Amino acid sequence: MSDTEKHASGSTVTMDSDGPIAIDPTTERSLVRKQDLILMPGLALAYLTHTLDRANLGNAKTDTLEKDLHLVGNQFSLLLILFYVPYGLMNVPFTLLSKRFNPAVVIPSVMSIWGIMAMASAGTKNFGGILACRILMGCVESAFLPCAIFYCSLFYTRRELSFRVSIFGMMGFIAGAISGLIAFSVFQWHRALNGWQYLFIIEGALTVGIGLLLFLILPHSVQKSRWFSEEEKCVSIARLAQDSQDEDKNFHREDAKVQLRDKITWVYFLMALFYGVGVASSSNFLPTMVKRLAKVPSKSNLYTVGPNLVAAAVQLSTTFLSDHFQQRATIACGTLFVSFLAWILLATLDLVHNVKVGYFLTYLITFGTFTPGILVPVWLSSNTTTTTGRALRLGISFMGQNLAGIISSVAFRAQDAPTYKPALVTVASCQAAFIVVCLSLREYYRRENKKLESGEVVHFSGGKERPEYRYAL
């Protein structure tokens, strides 16, 4: 029978002790629509600036940055490597910090800091100066993605999460296109500063402005926001109760210990490490790889616009299908397989004399390289029922993805230009390893669900004692 029943304006939320929660669909649609209108634009703008400021070094390299800062040998690669060290190691602390103080506070705070660091980079005169700025940027930029996905998991159910994360994740590709256009424009300026300095100042100032705006926009929760009615607040509590065992802001040490001891946590870390190599390689070296297409070096930034826009459309489509069919692993592996083939072809074909074929392959590279970066964290969140455990697992997963940037930076060596064959083979090998591990984990979850269906086990370890709860696949 009913334990709790809430009636208001014709809406009903019924929590039955012997069955699933009944939620009024009209109120639920209104709630989800408001959440989309309030959260998605702010997070999209945040991720736009995150990608602009993180990847602008790749655009700056096509200008006179190396000459002006007197970079020699592999110092540019070292800038990328040392950026990724704090970028990988600080994920867990910031995600747990957002669990304690709320992502609506943490995200705008770190945005303002990394925007200031981006602008400060324009004033550097040597390798040491820009290295210091990049390391500090790496520390605070590491917070955004795990905190943003954790934030969304506090508003959306696991059946809705993939497409929502993709909406603001798509802005990474839009940022790649915008950054190329901005870089091409400012690199034509002949004023007091160099083009790459204007690039850093413009993109950094944009970040600070949006960060300050998000302090005012992002709600801490549905319950604490004035934008939602009492009925919608009740529905929100009921919806999230189906996915999470706790919704408080306290850090639960025992939940964290359970996740650290769970081998699945480290399988997610390994998968993130594997797909992260391709993500970092595409983000940081795409302008460099297409540079040989352009007679004027600055035009290489324009050639990155097309692949980024195509990737945005593909990611939106695949994540929509992922939510519709409730399939994470197969769609992540399917799209990545296309990119895997492209990396192999890019490494093996003679593209020095067939640059147009090489440019077509860059479209295939961006086609699926980034999709696992959306679906795997969502998959992880869907299968972690405590908010402390979810925050910790997301932090560890993104630590793997970001540390993969070190592998990418080491692989793309100056002496291997312009083909970078060893690096391309490294990326393809990591993507192949991801596909194997990802499909193996899906099979593990499928077998566990079969045990739940047959009654062989009552509920999964660390999860809820709800007979209808199943692992997401």
Side-chain angles (χ1 to χ4, degrees), residues 117 127-137:
M117 289 299 102
F127 172 71
I130 196 167
L131 177 61
C133 290
R134 294 294 294 181
I135 288 176
L136 290 173
M137 281 182 65

Side-chain angles (χ1 to χ4, degrees), residues 94 105-115 140-141 143-144 207 215:
F94 274 116
V105 175
V106 175
I107 290 173
S109 299
V110 297
M111 282 183 65
S112 301
I113 296 172
W114 87 57
V140 289
E141 284 207 12
F144 178 75
T207 299
F215 270 115

